[in-house]
Amino acid sequence: MGVRAIHKKNNKAWWAAALLGLAAVQAQAAGWVPTKPIEFIVPAGTGGGADQMARFVQGMVSKHQLSPQPMVVVNKAGGAGAEGFLDVKGDKGNPHKLVITLSNLFTTPMATGVPFNWRDLTPVSMLALDQFVLWVNEEAPFKTAKDYFNALKGQNPNSFKMGGTGSKQEDQIITVMLEKATGKKMIYIPYKGGGDVAVQLVGKHVDSTVNNPIEAESHWRAGKLRPLCVFDEQRMPYPAKVTASQAWADLPTCASQGIPVSYLMLRGIFMPPGVSADQTAFYQELFNKLRALPEWKDFMAKGAFRQTALQGAEFIDWLGKNEQQHRVLMKEAGFMAQ
């Protein structure tokens, strides 16, 4: 190799090193950025709403280069999510770990007595609130929520089987609400995740479920399941047809059908304790960019989410109030750890 070629090669190497150095300086000037892959903990099973949202986020972060490092989704569902929460709690100061939370953020420590509270983590962002829908098999005789409600009231106790995710969590809380409204007990059958719950209803192994929209949407679209009502105070604002004849917006509220039950679930992001403000800010900005994407808006519509996003003091205030609401619900249901 000639002197000129060697000089040219060295010159290229110098410029490459200089550009890398400049990028590092710019990143540092802009604030903290991840320097290794980000572990994204899902304290629930695969196929459920939290798992689907985490994997969607993972894909969007990669596609739109929202982070210099990739996200790696890890399911830790043991102990109704306690495995995941305790893992994040115990990794103090690690900015390369996130957890996506359900309302088991509140229910799991209350039901199990596990030494964990949401205040043990660093709140980052509320991504959305998730709905619950009353589902039956498409071949079930109940055409409306009123039909279902009246049939439940007229049955002998423990005649209906309700499938749900986990024990003493959101799905069973709603089941207890339904039992109190009808005066009739049901057989509650817990499964590992919302994906399993939907499959069990398709197979007619249970009579009904209260799955989140995204957990049963594909089965509804395929003509296997029928949604009867939404457990919210208002209808869902999504007019696009899911089936040939129905959209999410066509579903009545359960209250309007004579079922006095309403419940919404958190979809939020937390970090371990002891992380810095600029590390938290990096992820807050990442999720702000994520929510601005057209794919995010499509994902919200497909899953019929309540689009509520909070950060900072507003998020912390919401968490405190919601924790108290769950304490009341858990006590009324008899689910608090003794």
Side-chain angles (χ1 to χ4, degrees), residues 41-44 74-90 99 108 114:
I41 304 296
V42 179
V74 180
N75 294 82
K76 295 191 175 185
E83 176 191 9
F85 291 133
L86 291 175
D87 175 80
V88 180
K89 174 187 175 181
V99 59
T108 292
V114 64

Side-chain angles (χ1 to χ4, degrees), residues 41-111:
I41 304 296
V42 179
T46 57
D51 182 65
Q52 289 189 53
M53 181 174 278
R55 294 181 190 278
F56 174 80
V57 170
Q58 177 191 41
M60 289 301 99
V61 167
S62 175
K63 177 181 177 181
H64 294 279
Q65 299 180 339
L66 301 180
S67 168
Q69 295 289 333
M71 286 184 172
V72 180
V73 175
V74 180
N75 294 82
K76 295 191 175 185
E83 176 191 9
F85 291 133
L86 291 175
D87 175 80
V88 180
K89 174 187 175 181
D91 209 358
K92 184 176 181 179
N94 181 4
H96 296 92
K97 181 170 287 189
L98 299 173
V99 59
I100 185 167
T101 62
L102 304 71
S103 292
N104 63 352
L105 178 73
F106 310 117
T107 58
T108 292
M110 290 180 188

Side-chain angles (χ1 to χ4, degrees), residues 94 102 150 245 300 308:
N94 181 4
L102 304 71
N150 291 333
S245 60
M300 289 289 99
T308 303

Side-chain angles (χ1 to χ4, degrees), residues 116-130:
F116 166 78
N117 183 277
W118 67 266
R119 295 173 182 83
D120 296 328
L121 306 181
T122 301
V124 176
S125 180
M126 175 195 286
L127 294 184
L129 293 173
D130 210 347

Side-chain angles (χ1 to χ4, degrees), residues 130-211:
D130 210 347
Q131 309 275 6
F132 284 83
V133 170
L134 178 61
W135 298 90
V136 294
N137 191 284
E138 177 60 31
E139 297 178 4
F142 320 114
K143 302 302 181 183
T144 68
K146 283 183 180 178
D147 292 341
Y148 174 91
F149 192 62
N150 291 333
L152 183 56
K153 286 194 295 185
Q155 289 287 329
N156 292 325
N158 297 316
S159 297
F160 271 54
K161 294 179 181 178
M162 176 70 86
T165 300
S167 298
K168 299 181 180 180
Q169 297 181 55
E170 302 91 350
D171 294 24
Q172 194 170 8
I173 288 175
I174 296 173
T175 301
V176 170
M177 290 179 178
L178 284 169
E179 290 175 338
K180 289 186 176 182
T182 59
K184 293 292 173 67
K185 294 285 291 183
M186 284 187 274
I187 299 173
Y188 179 80
I189 303 177
Y191 298 97
K192 289 184 177 180
D196 290 340
V197 174
V199 169
Q200 294 300 316
L201 184 58
V202 169
K204 300 181 182 179
H205 302 295
V206 294
D207 299 301
S208 58
T209 71
V210 292
N211 254 355

